[in-house]
Amino acid sequence: KQSVLQKQLEQFVSTRETLENRAKAIQEAQLYIQKVAVETQAKVVVKIEAIVNKVIQTVFPDYSFELKYEIKRGKSEAQLKFYKGQNEIDVLESDGGGTCMVVAVALRLAIWSLSSTADVMLLDEPDAALSTDLRPRFSEVLHELSNKLNLQIIAPSHSTSTQEIADKLFVVTSKQEGQWKVAKVSDQ
């Protein structure tokens, strides 16, 4: 019995050592994964902040954007912070729909830049919520980012500012109810 118990004890000790080594390896792997995640998040933050701030500050020079990661419930969560001057603001409540629309387009561009999707983005009336004096700035920054990101933006619009920066312009007119005529106007 003593011999059997001794063998069982040796097996338990060996199993314990194996499990302890495995637990140590898992802890080391978790630390490595956390380190890589923090480094990746830092790179993501830089890229997203650069694009979003470029768009926002072109249209609204006193606005800024900051992306913060926080650990909540054991998971990393992104917090989007918007500022007007030094004051944090809620873009859904500030300056009408124009600010919110500019932020939405900026975030779409930033997220697109991190993905591996097609090089085409459809923006329906992208400057419709902006006042006419802000539309040219917004159109210019869209054109600039389109070129910089190698992104084709298709934007149906009534805005002359959007039409003026278009590389290709098509005009759609109604011939009869349910029938449309498409004419290429320019290839700039």
Side-chain angles (χ1 to χ4, degrees), residues 148-182:
K148 185 176 181 179
L149 298 171
N150 197 27
L151 170 66
Q152 179 182 10
I153 296 176
I154 300 172
S157 179
H158 293 93
S159 167
T160 55
S161 297
T162 301
Q163 294 171 10
E164 287 171 357
I165 59 96
D167 293 331
K168 293 182 182 180
L169 183 62
F170 295 87
V171 175
V172 179
T173 55
S174 175
K175 287 175 45 177
Q176 296 176 349
E177 192 171 315
Q179 292 184 342
W180 300 93
K181 179 181 176 187
V182 178

Side-chain angles (χ1 to χ4, degrees), residues 40 54 70 89 116 128:
T40 302
K54 171 78 173 165
E70 298 175 0
I89 59 166
S116 59

Side-chain angles (χ1 to χ4, degrees), residues 6-36:
Q6 185 64 31
K7 283 186 181 185
Q8 286 178 341
L9 178 61
E10 289 172 4
Q11 286 176 340
F12 288 138
V13 167
S14 175
T15 301
R16 186 178 123 221
E17 288 174 359
T18 301
L19 292 174
E20 286 174 347
N21 288 338
R22 185 178 292 165
K24 183 179 177 183
I26 289 171
Q27 287 175 338
E28 289 173 0
Q30 285 176 327
L31 290 174
Y32 181 74
I33 289 169
Q34 288 173 346
K35 179 183 175 190
V36 170

Side-chain angles (χ1 to χ4, degrees), residues 78-131:
Q79 299 296 318
L80 307 178
K81 309 273 185 176
F82 296 92
Y83 300 92
K84 185 174 184 179
Q86 299 297 319
N87 301 319
E88 187 173 348
I89 59 166
D90 179 354
V91 292
L92 296 176
E93 300 292 327
S94 67
D95 298 336
T99 308
C100 189
M101 185 271 318
V102 168
V103 165
V105 170
L107 287 169
R108 282 185 67 190
L109 287 167
I111 297 304
W112 176 88
S113 74
L114 298 172
S115 69
S116 59
T117 59
D119 294 342
V120 177
M121 182 179 289
L122 178 63
L123 299 174
D124 186 22
E125 296 278 355
D127 60 0
L130 287 174
S131 61

